[in-house]
Amino acid sequence: MYLLSVRHLSKAFPQGERTFYALSNIDLAFPERGLFAIVGKSGSGKSTLLNLLSRLDKPSAGYIRFKGEDIFSPSFKKHYAANVFQHYQLLDKMSSFDNVAMALKILGRHGIRKKTNEALRKVGLDRLKEKNVDVLSGGEKQRVAIARAIVSDPEILFADEPTGALDENNAETVMKILSQEGKRRLVILVTHNEEYVHRYCDGYVRLKGGKIVERKIPIKKAKESKSTKAGHGLGWRKTFLWRNLKGNFAKNLICLFAGILGFSALLLSLGFYSGQGKALEKQKRRSLLYQTSYLYEQDRFEVENSPLSLLRQIRPSMQTALDLTEGIKGLTFETDYSFFFPGSLSFKLDEVSQDPVRFAPVYDLTLKEGGGDLLIQGKLPRANTMGECLVNEEFISFYQGEVGDLIEVSNIASIEKDGAKEDIILDFEMKISGVVKEFSFLNSPRVYYSYQALESQLQSYPLDNIGIAGLIRPRLGDFLSLLSPSSSYLNYRYLVFAHDPSEMEKVYDLIRRYEDDRNYGFENETYTVASSFEALSSTFMSALAMMVGLAAGSLAIILAMMAFSTYVKKKKEVAILYVLGAKQEDMTLIYAGEASFICFLSALGALLVSIPLQGFANRFLEGRFGMDKMIEIPYTELFGVPYLLIALTLVGAVVFGLLVASIPLVFSHHISLAEVLRDE
Ligand code: ADP
Ligand code: MG
């Protein structure tokens, strides 16, 4: 069995319409050791043959066998050969030592230091081993290349015009080294120099136009000997990863910024998703009106000869009210006095008449039922009195008022009984006792007064003109108690105050249930506002999800492009590493690893940057909506798992980077090594 045998080997290159045969029907065999030359004129096919023998290129027909095994069969995994090129093809910016050692590292060999030193000594370069290869002379570079080729102790050494770029002295040195190597292994050399062939070589083949025209190769059969399997090193990939990271510093920095922005957007969106619901729940309570609801019955009049019907809100009976709200504790049903004291009134502040403002009833202005934490200025009234009120922040900023200011309210309402008329004159001053900060979404300036105080004032209001049988001096309360519930004096509906904040969810459930009811209505202003906010924020979240998708998409494109451009720029380096025995997975790890590492740093940066960003965003949103902590990135716990978010973000970033950047690298195995490493 020959060490290397070639049968019917052809290599065709497409050339316009026709195919050009650079090699046709070559049969050859080489023994186990010796230095053999391939000679011939330029263009005769020497390099093409060598590229096929060393698996840098694939044949069009025929086969090449190493110890009987087809070297192009997918199961052939041996590291059987090493190459020396005319133009050295060293890894730049690395020392001679590292260049040589890399060949061992890629193959996962041991004893790297010893073997490397030995190889460098063989080529007479041990004194220059720490020198960067970029500063070496041509002869020295070629000796490094030879050391790199022989350090892994391959069974075959291929050298394509290794002396082509060297002066005579250096060329002689290289030939001597190769002839020494020929005593140990098979060395196949391409050369122009016939004199070297005679002086150093054990045999030769002459090519002409892609055919063998002369051969002189003594045939000795090979003994079964060692066959080295390509191993699997790990650490050496780091070297190239790090080189790429450093080499692409500016580009990587830009990617890093893009990545930080992208990941921050992701984290903030997640924070908004998890934070706004909780914030809204809390803010529903940050409104003095959240405990005030309205309950009414719909009174329907069919209009004759018309498809229309008219609706009127009337007060249901107390029994109906109790039935409707069954199961909710702590409710009181009160008369809505808006006939006498409408929700919207003009008033005077600092002697100046103002536009109508909303006056809203609060059952108990001393806020014994909670809500005291809303106060941001002044104090709460100590008792329920019409003499004091609370206003919201919007009121203060809109009317330039301040704590202690007097709000003058005057209103006249008339009632009639049996032709007698009575004017109910409500004329009083309310002092701004305190300012509350509340859920400010869709909120307007508002004055909160005590419902209890208004009720007792109205109930005891003396009537002078209207007589009621059996009473000497009747009061408004006596008059009202005689009226039917649907009387327009009593307005149309019940004011329902919920005194137990823990029952509010049930109240809101009830409101939800009666939303589309034809017969009864149950409303709450805070609920209405919160629902519209919910609708708004769910729309906003869909938009946000889309934007995060776009951010992730563009980040993916940037990273993929980055990986690909590095890869293209480093094509030669990639080819060298392949020739030294690196695998597709190694390349993916090196080039996608760069993107992955940038992603990791971006995620780390985003985790840090998102903390202050969340603060800024929350302050901004609080200004707009009066809600704090609308964004709450769940750093410490996600789905009940501690620090899951941090772990997911970092791991996810690494995987994302690897996946995205390896897409373009999948195409990398289409590059032809022979093409890239072709000696110009
Ligand atoms: P040399 O003997 O000078 O090393 P080569 O083996 O490089 O010659 O080339 C042999 C012939 O094949 C030349 O005519 C060259 O132009 C042609 N050839 C080599 N590589 C290619 C290629 N990739 N595409 C087309 N023609 C090629
Ligand atoms: Mg050539």
Side-chain angles (χ1 to χ4, degrees), residues 105 237 255 257 323 355 474 572 626 631 634 639:
K105 287 183 187 168
R237 300 186 193 91
C255 282
F257 278 124
D323 288 348
D355 290 334
K572 200 149 207 161
I631 300 179
F639 309 130

Side-chain angles (χ1 to χ4, degrees), residues 42-43 45-48 86 160-161 190 192 678-679:
S42 181
K46 305 184 294 295
S47 298
T48 306
Q86 182 176 353
D160 192 352
E161 307 205 32
V190 166
H192 268 110
R678 204 176 164 77
D679 288 328

Side-chain angles (χ1 to χ4, degrees), residues 571-612:
K571 225 160 142 179
K572 200 149 207 161
E573 184 176 285
V574 172
I576 295 173
L577 294 177
Y578 271 131
V579 170
L580 291 179
K583 308 227 166 19
Q584 169 87 31
E585 308 92 81
D586 300 330
M587 293 303 150
T588 307
L589 206 72
I590 291 172
Y591 293 93
E594 185 182 7
S596 193
F597 184 67
I598 294 298
C599 261
F600 176 81
L601 281 188
S602 300
L604 197 66
L607 282 169
L608 293 174
V609 164
S610 62
I611 298 171

